[in-house]
């Protein structure tokens, strides 16, 4: 589903290891999504580390979602 074309705000959460790839793909598609960068890598994090990343970024994510309204 394409939320943006339906008027539903969304963001892409991307680890910093993929920032360049997201920029290239977005440019190729002609689309500028709201992107929230989180530390890389993510797959080997403990539950406590993931919770800290979520706690540290949730306000920014909510701000990005509500800014376009």
């Amino acid at each position: 589903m394409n939320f943006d074309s339906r008027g539903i705000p969304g963001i892409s959460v991307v680890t910093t290891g993929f920032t360049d790839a997201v920029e290239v793909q977005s440019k190729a598609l002609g689309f500028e999504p709201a992107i929230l960068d989180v530390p890389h890598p993510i797959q080997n994090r403990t539950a406590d580390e993931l919770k800290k990343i979520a706690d540290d970024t949730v306000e920014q994510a909510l701000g990005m979602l509500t800014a376009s309204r």
Side-chain angles (χ1 to χ4, degrees):
M1 278 192 254
N2 187 328
F3 291 121
D4 292 291
S5 68
R6 295 173 50 205
I8 301 169
I11 60 172
S12 295
V13 179
V14 180
T15 66
T16 53
F18 294 96
T19 302
D20 292 341
V22 169
E23 288 178 18
V24 169
Q25 184 177 19
S26 298
K27 191 174 208 175
L29 294 173
F31 177 65
E32 294 183 32
I35 300 170
L36 176 62
D37 295 322
V38 297
H40 182 84
I42 207 81
Q43 75 274 8
N44 61 346
R45 303 282 180 158
T46 66
D48 287 340
E49 290 171 323
L50 291 172
K51 182 179 182 323
K52 178 163 179 15
I53 291 170
D55 288 344
D56 291 347
T57 58
V58 68
E59 291 298 324
Q60 184 179 358
L62 291 173
M64 293 170 78
L65 286 169
T66 58
S68 61
R69 289 186 164 192

